[in-house]
Amino acid sequence: MKLQRMNRRALTLGALAVSGALALTACGSDDTGTKGSGSSSAAATGASDIKCDDAKGQLLADGSSAQKNAIDAWVKNFTQACNGVQVNYKGSGSGAGITAFTQGTVAFAGSDSALKPEEVEASKKVCTGGQGIDLPMVAGPIAVAYNLSGVEDLVLDAPTMAKIFDGKIKKWNDAAIAKLNPGAKLPDLQIQPYHRSDESGTTDNFTKYLIAAAPNDWKYEGGKAWQAKGGQSASGSSGVAQGVKQTNGAIGYMELSYAKDGLGTVALNTGAAAPVKASSDGATKAVAAAKVVGTGNDLALKLDYTTKAEGAYPITLVTYEIACDKGNKADTLPATKAFLRYLASEQGQGILSGIDYAPIPDSIITKVRTTIEGLS
């Protein structure tokens, strides 16, 4: 009898464990992926959007560090489902990713800026009979993070921010900052602005915001390379975040997922009724108003960096996965399509908000899904 009771108890606990695991999957836990079409667990639950098809081997990719945390989550789920594939994404920066793609050393690249005409032309050498195209896959707010003892809430507008990153405003108790933060105890402390040392789509999008929203105070042309003089530099978003964390009085721009561990984030005075902080919802609201400006299969977007819509966070980037529309290498095409298909799926997009990114609006992501199916 005692043994029977123990067996019944073990069976009950096992059922509860399975039930709990299924509930976590349905609610979008950290391990949001379930086994793919080649897995018996997927067949039992029907819960996965991952279709492995004939995907196998090693899939090399490089590019945007902004999307690295999202890619890591996606890779974890995808490779658990498709255990015949290894995905190696370096995250060396958008510039490095595009270079690797146009040189033919990676199957696809990630970039926080759409391909330039000369980059499209260069891609035709590796995309036999085709060219590189932009597939918007993940959006994310670029947080302006700061480390300033005694100041928990900080509001800035575009002109003030432009002057800070251009070295024109040097102290935290400057009158322009004080006017935006009445009642705050701003210290008589040197401002230490941090920027990226490597070419970066994050820099490109951040400076696009400054050019559009503070044209009288940011006179640089913009682009992936930082152009203003002075300030501190660091490699990658992780490097900028680390520099700001280590320096009282520092401020820097980085994706929201890097603005952790005690860093404050600036609320933007955009002209809306209330200042807007970086958030996934705010980024989605900003991207929803974007226009597709690419032609053919290219889905490059144009964002409105001067939006005053309530709750819309204008310093938002869209990361594109760049792949050949035609002429993909036969040995990597199945894995490329399977992986990108998962990224664009409802399940793949569904994990983004939980890791401080923003999903691509339905009106755009449906076009991405159709384009991926046509890759050849």
Side-chain angles (χ1 to χ4, degrees):
M1 292 294 291
K2 182 176 180 181
L3 181 59
Q4 289 176 339
R5 287 195 299 271
M6 290 176 65
N7 287 338
R8 284 197 300 270
R9 183 170 182 269
L11 287 170
T12 300
L13 288 172
L16 287 172
V18 172
S19 175
L22 291 175
L24 282 172
T25 300
C27 294
S29 64
D30 288 341
D31 188 6
T32 49
T34 54
K35 297 293 182 182
S37 58
S39 163
S40 60
S41 64
T45 65
S48 181
D49 286 345
I50 301 176
K51 297 178 181 179
C52 304
D53 294 338
D54 298 323
K56 58 184 178 180
Q58 189 175 48
L59 192 62
L60 297 179
D62 197 2
S64 165
S65 66
Q67 69 168 358
K68 183 66 164 61
N69 291 338
I71 289 283
D72 287 347
W74 280 327
V75 167
K76 178 183 177 183
N77 295 344
F78 181 78
T79 54
Q80 282 179 345
C82 305
N83 54 23
V85 184
Q86 290 182 327
V87 182
N88 184 352
Y89 182 84
K90 291 183 179 180
S92 302
S94 297
I98 290 175
T99 297
F101 180 74
T102 56
Q103 291 177 347
T105 59
V106 295
F108 72 91
S111 176
D112 308 322
S113 300
L115 290 167
K116 296 178 181 178
E118 61 268 25
E119 293 167 341
V120 172
E121 193 61 32
S123 73
K124 294 179 181 179
K125 297 177 182 179
V126 296
C127 301
T128 307
Q131 65 179 51
I133 57 172
D134 300 290
L135 301 171
M137 200 68 75
V138 55
I142 301 174
V144 181
Y146 66 95
N147 177 0
L148 190 59
S149 297
V151 180
E152 295 184 1
D153 296 299
L154 183 68
V155 176
L156 295 176
D157 58 15
T160 305
M161 194 178 299
K163 292 172 186 174
I164 287 173
F165 280 91
D166 198 23
K168 301 293 177 56
I169 292 179
K170 301 181 182 297
K171 292 288 188 75
W172 278 109
N173 61 350
D174 187 274
I177 301 176
K179 184 178 180 180
L180 291 164
N181 296 273
K185 295 181 179 179
L186 298 169
D188 182 14
L189 179 67
Q190 191 81 13
I191 299 174
Q192 300 285 350
Y194 273 79
H195 60 266
R196 290 280 290 271
S197 59
D198 53 323
E199 288 198 357
S200 162
T202 312
T203 295
D204 190 16
N205 282 274
F206 179 64
T207 54
K208 280 179 179 175
Y209 165 73
L210 295 178
I211 291 167
N216 294 326
D217 298 291
W218 194 260
K219 300 294 187 180
Y220 304 97
E221 293 181 359
K224 294 186 181 73
W226 184 258
Q227 295 171 337
K229 306 299 181 183
Q232 309 293 327
S233 66
S235 178
S237 293
S238 58
V240 172
Q242 189 63 26
V244 176
K245 288 175 186 177
Q246 294 176 345
T247 309
N248 185 33
I251 187 170
Y253 58 92
M254 65 200 71
E255 291 68 41
L256 181 58
S257 59
Y258 291 92
K260 302 289 189 182
D261 302 331
L263 289 180
T265 56
V266 169
L268 292 180
N269 182 341
T270 64
V276 185
K277 275 202 169 189
S279 71
S280 296
D281 287 345
T284 297
K285 289 178 181 178
V287 176
K291 296 180 180 179
V292 176
V293 294
T295 58
N297 290 325
D298 190 274
L299 297 173
L301 303 176
K302 182 177 181 180
L303 301 176
D304 180 6
Y305 293 99
T306 61
T307 179
K308 297 180 181 179
E310 298 300 327
Y313 185 78
I315 318 181
T316 292
L317 61 78
V318 171
T319 293
Y320 302 93
E321 310 313 329
I322 296 169
C324 296
D325 59 351
K326 298 177 183 178
N328 287 277
K329 294 179 181 178
D331 58 341
T332 57
L333 177 60
T336 299
K337 288 184 70 170
F339 186 59
L340 295 181
R341 180 188 296 124
Y342 164 57
L343 271 55
S345 71
E346 185 176 347
Q347 183 185 351
Q349 291 290 299
I351 74 171
L352 293 175
S353 294
I355 51 176
D356 294 321
Y357 292 95
I360 301 297
D362 288 343
S363 61
I364 299 171
I365 202 66
T366 52
K367 296 177 183 178
V368 174
R369 292 167 185 158
T370 300
T371 303
I372 289 170
E373 294 306 321
L375 298 182
S376 62

